[in-house]
Amino acid sequence: MANLPADSTSRISAPLAGRWAPAWVLAFVALWPLPGIAEAVLVLAALFAVVRLLQPRMRGAVGATLGVPVWALTSVLFLAYWLPQLLSALDAQEPGRALGKVAGGLRYLPFMWLVAMAVADDARRRVTFAGLAVIAGIWSLDALLQALFAASPLFWSLDQLKQLLSGHALCLPQDMIGSGRVNGVFGACNPKLGQVLASLSPFLLLLAGRCWGRIGWAVAAMFAGVAILLAGSRASWITYALVLLFTGWRLLGARWMALAVLAAVLGVAALGTGSTQVRERIAATLPALSGKAADINTALAGRGRIWSGALCMVREHPVNGVGVRGFRNAWPECDPTHGQGTEWGDGPALHAHQLVLEILSETGLLGLLLWLMGAAMAWRAWRYADAAARDRARPAALALLVTVFPFNTHLAFHSAFWGSVLLLLAALYAGALTARNE
């Protein structure tokens, strides 16, 4: 081995360095319903990536594991997310906590490198993307079984295991915030099923369309769509509608896509008739059509009031915001109707529930500028990539695009869970787009 040229060493060491990367990525995603364990897997995966990246360099095979283009794009996307946190921590209301979060955020960089390794060649990319599609399909099927039998088999299994190991359930009574919805494997104390399925659905639908054509796409779209509708998150409905539009238009064409849209509308109407939860969510949305501010705020579950408070924070802290995750602390001073009851229950608003307002309120104009620079680099990489590279990256690109679609409400992108989802998708996109041609 020592007598081989450097390029031969690279070819030999690269597969060895990244062969376990898909397993780490898929294990992390599959464990999302168990946030603590998923976070532990992320940290271990980041340490694994550091070791794997150092090993080839110690043997003299520079760049063997991660090529310069993918390393550069992945790192730029990470910095666009992480640097706003650092700048906002300088004068945050709780600087110690803010700086701790900033330091902890460094774990995402090697993790993103590992994710990029998981899609760095055709074989690993097929395993990773197919695995994500399978996870989304299984979670969708599990949600449908919950709708039919009033219990999620996957969550029931996890709950039984938790009780066996620790003596108490996964969801305690005081933590129930999604009761009445179909939450599937995530459970009533962690109602993220709709948003997660919508973000992962491009992997499922594009794989189904590629393997089984229009019929496969239609079946997968129906199963995932029903699960997302029953989950009750209207933000995920918008996200999934975008996925259906982008994937269906390419596969079906204009005429068949129009028929698919009609079938989807009729399906939603039928499901609303048969499902109390869907019917209530639709009825709660209709007051927004009146155009009155009070009705819109009610229809959006208090989002109008939260967005007004976020704009107040932007005015008060325009340069670098109130600090990452400092929204709740700044809320009492910016609550436009302080002292009145809230649509979301007791306590302050925890985050802005909208991507642009979250960035502006927590990290200011500097943060927004860095995010836009990251988006511009991602778009530039797509623009100058060839057709084969775009096709490789299409599932991840679409998942990333619909997840950050600005004309929607969002979970907190600076939280540990949704931040890791965002950076995972960004790394999948960067890794697939700049992967080696084979």
Side-chain angles (χ1 to χ4, degrees):
M1 178 69 72
N3 296 325
L4 289 175
D7 60 342
S8 298
T9 306
S10 298
R11 287 194 298 268
I12 292 173
S13 61
L16 293 176
R19 63 182 179 181
W20 289 104
W24 281 107
V25 172
L26 295 177
F28 171 64
V29 174
L31 289 168
W32 278 350
L34 302 172
I37 299 177
E39 177 65 22
V41 169
L42 186 152
V43 172
L44 291 174
L47 294 174
F48 174 84
V50 171
V51 173
R52 285 304 197 183
L53 286 169
L54 289 177
Q55 283 180 339
R57 294 180 180 274
M58 294 175 66
R59 300 190 189 109
V62 178
T65 306
L66 206 61
V68 172
V70 62
W71 175 85
L73 182 57
T74 306
S75 300
V76 165
L77 295 180
F78 165 77
L79 290 174
Y81 176 84
W82 182 78
L83 281 178
Q85 299 185 8
L86 176 62
L87 295 175
S88 70
L90 298 178
D91 59 351
Q93 292 187 359
E94 296 184 8
R97 179 181 179 186
L99 289 172
K101 181 172 179 58
V102 170
L106 290 173
R107 72 193 185 279
Y108 289 128
L109 182 56
F111 175 72
M112 291 179 71
W113 290 338
L114 180 74
V115 174
M117 280 191 274
V119 292
D121 61 37
D122 288 340
R124 295 203 295 266
R125 185 167 52 255
R126 283 194 294 268
V127 170
T128 303
F129 282 5
L132 293 173
V134 169
I135 290 172
I138 291 175
W139 286 352
S140 298
L141 179 60
D142 175 73
L144 297 181
L145 291 176
Q146 180 186 354
L148 291 175
F149 302 109
S152 159
L154 289 179
F155 180 78
W156 181 85
S157 301
L158 292 176
D159 189 53
Q160 295 300 308
L161 181 61
K162 176 69 172 179
Q163 293 190 49
L164 180 65
L165 295 176
S166 65
H168 59 80
L170 272 175
C171 287
L172 301 177
Q174 63 270 23
D175 298 327
M176 299 291 187
I177 55 177
S179 300
R181 299 189 190 182
V182 172
N183 299 304
V185 67
F186 286 84
C189 55
N190 188 22
K192 295 185 176 75
L193 178 69
Q195 291 97 324
V196 168
L197 277 183
S199 290
L200 292 181
S201 62
F203 299 99
L204 175 62
L205 268 59
L206 288 173
L207 179 65
R210 184 177 295 112
C211 293
W212 300 291
R214 293 173 176 174
I215 295 178
W217 178 89
V219 172
M222 180 185 67
F223 272 91
V226 172
I228 290 169
L229 280 171
L230 292 175
S233 165
R234 291 170 293 179
S236 67
W237 297 358
I238 296 174
T239 301
Y240 190 62
L242 293 172
V243 175
L244 292 177
L245 179 62
F246 280 104
T247 59
W249 189 273
R250 288 179 57 85
L251 181 66
L252 305 180
R255 181 178 301 177
W256 284 99
M257 188 64 206
L259 292 176
V261 170
L262 177 61
V265 172
L266 294 176
V268 171
L271 195 61
T273 302
S275 169
T276 303
Q277 310 305 329
V278 175
R279 185 166 60 251
E280 289 178 351
R281 298 300 284 171
I282 294 175
T285 308
L286 292 178
L289 300 178
S290 70
K292 298 179 181 178
D295 291 340
I296 293 175
N297 182 62
T298 300
L300 295 175
R303 298 294 193 273
R305 179 176 175 179
I306 294 174
W307 294 340
S308 296
L311 291 174
C312 165
M313 296 178 202
V314 176
R315 291 192 300 270
E316 296 295 326
H317 306 271
V319 179
N320 62 345
V322 299
V324 170
R325 306 301 285 155
F327 194 95
R328 69 189 72 190
N329 297 324
W331 173 254
E333 297 179 0
C334 280
D335 184 357
T337 53
H338 184 71
Q340 298 184 14
T342 64
E343 290 80 357
W344 56 85
D346 297 331
L350 302 182
H351 61 96
H353 289 274
Q354 204 280 329
L355 173 61
V356 177
L357 289 177
E358 179 183 357
I359 297 170
L360 281 172
S361 61
E362 296 190 358
T363 64
L365 292 172
L366 288 176
L368 181 61
L369 178 61
L370 287 166
W371 273 71
L372 291 175
M373 291 173 63
M377 291 300 296
W379 166 246
R380 185 180 185 277
W382 177 271
R383 180 182 177 187
Y384 288 102
D386 57 31
R390 291 183 182 183
D391 188 62
R392 290 196 304 264
R394 198 174 306 280
L398 180 55
L400 180 61
L401 177 64
V402 298
T403 298
V404 299
F405 180 65
F407 300 105
N408 199 358
T409 61
H410 304 92
L411 296 178
F413 281 102
H414 287 134
S415 66
F417 175 80
W418 209 239
S420 66
V421 173
L422 172 66
L423 294 178
L424 170 77
L425 297 177
L428 289 173
Y429 166 73
L433 190 69
T434 55
R436 295 183 297 271
N437 290 318
E438 297 187 354

